[in-house]
Amino acid sequence: MTLKSSAPTEEQGNLRSGTIGLPGVLFQSITTMAPASAVSFSLSAAVPFSGAALPLAVTITLVVSVLIALNIGELARHLPSAGGFFTYISRSLGAVPGWVTGWIFDLAYLLIVPLQLLVLGPVAASIVPLGPYGWAIWAVIFAVVIFALTYFGIKVSADVGVVLGCIEIGVFLLLALWLIVTAGNNNTLATFNPASSAQSGFGGWQGVLLGMIFTVLAFAGYESSAPLAEETRNPRRTVPLAIVLAALLIGIFYVFCSYAAVVGWGPAKIAAYASDPNPWGTMAQRVWGGFSLIVNLAILNSALANSNAGVNAVSRVLYAMGRVRALPGVLAHLNRFASPDVAIVFTMVVGIVLTVALGLAFGTATAFALIGTIIVLPIILVYLATCVAVPVFYLREHPSEFNVLRHIVLPLIPTVVLLIVLWFQATQQYEAPLTWAFPLAVVWLVLGIIIALVLRFRAPEVLEASSKVYVEAE
């Protein structure tokens, strides 16, 4: 692959092309999804709404996610760039929507680090206490580890991601199978019936759809390999394949684990599931005894891998936006390992500050729920923008490839489902501080629109550069 003439300046430098292949790119997406951490915490947050119908909510999200992944792939194979969605939407829908998409994507991925530090800190402190604020000390220690993994180049980070991802998936698959086998008469297909949800509205669908706010959070991340295109071998094939495989494979893993969780805990007692700070740890203790420590270590492993992958993704988008001066140009600086070091440092500082501040103010569990709820809103908007962009891009730039099924029907289905989920989120009454999530996301969106419009009139060349693709096939 080669760089176009519109590539970064010499002072900015280039990302190191052809560094990683399909395994590294695939596990970038998988570890961003954080399978073990998501099963333990994100899916657990859906239980107060979905109840014993959690597997149904997860199954619907699996179908929607695979369809979205296919749509992302349709853009990724023509527009390989570190900008990811920033580039996709700019090229398809225009510079202003593209900049706003990059802006809200940055919000979601900047929050991945504090989200997972709020898992890493408390879980590590439960194993090795370090005093009343031990969780905060552990969070800072893990932040230093994450920084080291991402600072020294994508190859190191990607290789670590493959190893960590395999470990967490293996441990949770074994425990899930164990729970299903030992569940006995608790095994039931009623978990796929909306009537089993915790909220009876619309025949139980109200609970399922509200629960999908958190199942979408669990799935979020399969798209994160898109910004690694400039460092990937054969990105036009590798990146789309990795995105679809991650959504499909981990989605099946989620369905299996969510079913195991419901029947392992007991459908009749599922209301108590969400109140347990670590339900999978509790179930592991019941069936594995002292060996349950392995599960807590797998959760730590998962949160660490997720943070690692999240920093990789957001730092590349910040780099791409800095490269075209859509954000401060200093974010495009690369170190001698060809890593966007300034963007990485910025991401980690934001992560540590939010982790400690929100954790001390609200407690780690509530802070986790608040950040998770905020994350899912911009992610849904990014997915919606992508689905809208697909038909526009193909009609405008590749009309000979346009296909009604692939470029109209496939984007339309997830668009409708996500709009319904978003409506339920906007109208749901939470308790403070979760009530702040939707307004904060809206404020961030409006701020992004204002900045983009200012750039449109005062520096239009900056926005026009957003649609440039920096990777070309040889």
Side-chain angles (χ1 to χ4, degrees):
M1 65 183 67
T2 56
L3 293 175
K4 292 179 69 174
S5 59
S6 55
T9 65
E10 184 177 350
E11 290 75 19
Q12 293 170 321
N14 298 323
L15 295 168
R16 192 166 292 163
S17 63
T19 305
I20 52 177
L22 179 60
V25 180
L26 174 60
F27 274 87
Q28 161 68 23
S29 287
I30 287 176
T31 52
T32 306
M33 296 173 79
S37 178
V39 166
S40 301
F41 298 98
S42 299
L43 293 184
S44 297
V47 171
F49 309 102
S50 63
L54 176 64
L56 174 61
V58 175
T59 301
I60 297 171
T61 309
L62 164 60
V63 174
V64 171
S65 296
V66 170
L67 292 177
I68 294 171
L70 289 169
N71 283 293
I72 295 170
E74 288 296 291
L75 296 174
R77 68 189 185 90
H78 283 294
L79 302 171
S81 169
F85 296 96
F86 169 58
T87 302
Y88 302 162
I89 308 305
S90 295
R91 186 70 166 258
S92 306
L93 303 181
V96 170
W99 194 94
V100 173
T101 299
W103 175 257
I104 60 176
F105 180 90
D106 287 343
L107 170 63
Y109 272 70
L110 280 170
L111 292 178
I112 285 179
V113 172
L115 182 78
Q116 295 304 335
L117 288 179
L118 286 164
V119 172
L120 288 163
V123 173
S126 70
I127 300 172
V128 183
L130 295 176
Y133 299 106
W135 68 266
I137 297 172
W138 274 115
V140 173
I141 291 172
F142 278 111
V144 173
V145 174
I146 295 162
F147 172 77
L149 288 174
T150 53
Y151 184 84
F152 294 106
I154 190 63
K155 183 68 167 63
V156 173
S157 184
D159 289 347
V160 170
V162 172
V163 175
L164 297 181
C166 288
I167 292 172
E168 63 177 287
I169 292 170
V171 170
F172 268 70
L173 277 177
L174 179 60
L175 177 56
L177 180 60
W178 205 294
L179 290 171
I180 291 172
V181 171
T182 57
N185 293 333
N186 279 337
N187 282 289
T188 173
L189 292 178
T191 57
F192 295 95
N193 185 337
S196 299
S197 78
Q199 298 193 10
S200 59
F202 304 103
W205 282 106
Q206 178 180 359
V208 172
L209 291 168
L210 282 171
M212 283 180 63
I213 293 297
F214 298 99
T215 60
V216 169
L217 173 63
F219 274 81
Y222 57 84
E223 73 286 342
S224 73
S225 57
L228 270 60
E230 293 181 32
E231 299 159 279
T232 301
R233 294 189 291 274
N234 192 11
R236 296 176 187 276
R237 176 184 178 277
T238 301
V239 171
L241 180 59
I243 292 172
V244 173
L245 282 177
L248 177 62
L249 296 177
I250 301 304
I252 294 172
F253 170 82
Y254 284 163
V255 173
F256 185 69
C257 288
S258 63
Y259 175 80
V262 173
V263 300
W265 191 274
K269 300 179 291 183
I270 198 64
Y273 182 96
S275 61
D276 191 303
N278 186 3
W280 277 78
T282 298
M283 291 187 292
Q285 177 67 38
R286 189 178 73 235
V287 297
W288 283 356
F291 290 102
S292 62
L293 175 64
I294 297 173
V295 173
N296 283 331
L297 294 177
I299 293 172
L300 288 175
N301 170 92
S302 179
L304 178 62
N306 179 224
S307 299
N308 172 51
V311 174
N312 283 338
V314 73
S315 62
R316 268 64 183 177
V317 176
L318 291 171
Y319 161 84
M321 296 182 77
R323 178 169 62 186
V324 298
R325 300 294 192 263
L327 286 176
V330 68
L331 292 170
H333 182 271
L334 299 178
N335 62 19
R336 64 189 182 91
F337 304 102
S339 291
D341 53 349
V342 175
I344 290 171
V345 170
F346 174 73
T347 302
M348 296 311 304
V349 169
V350 170
I352 292 172
V353 170
L354 288 178
T355 299
V356 175
L358 294 179
L360 291 176
F362 305 114
T364 56
T366 301
F368 177 90
L370 173 61
I371 292 176
T373 308
I374 294 173
I375 285 176
V376 78
L377 297 173
I379 286 293
I380 287 178
L381 292 178
V382 169
Y383 291 161
L384 287 171
T386 302
C387 291
V388 173
V390 168
V392 176
F393 175 76
Y394 275 86
L395 284 170
R396 179 184 298 164
E397 298 203 22
H398 297 276
S400 63
E401 298 180 29
F402 181 79
N403 178 282
V404 173
L405 175 62
R406 287 165 52 197
H407 304 132
I408 294 292
V409 177
L410 290 187
L412 182 61
I413 295 171
T415 297
V416 172
V417 175
L418 288 177
L419 285 174
I420 294 173
V421 172
L422 197 61
W423 182 82
F424 270 94
Q425 166 67 9
T427 57
Q428 172 65 14
Q429 296 298 314
Y430 293 109
E431 294 182 1
L434 297 188
T435 51
W436 306 348
F438 195 85
L440 284 172
V442 171
V443 168
W444 185 266
L445 173 63
V446 172
L447 181 60
I449 293 172
I450 293 172
I451 295 174
L453 291 174
V454 171
L455 288 173
R456 184 66 181 171
F457 290 104
R458 299 188 61 178
E461 70 283 356
V462 168
L463 291 183
E464 291 305 320
S466 304
S467 63
K468 289 185 171 64
V469 181
Y470 290 91
V471 177
E472 289 295 330
E474 291 181 338

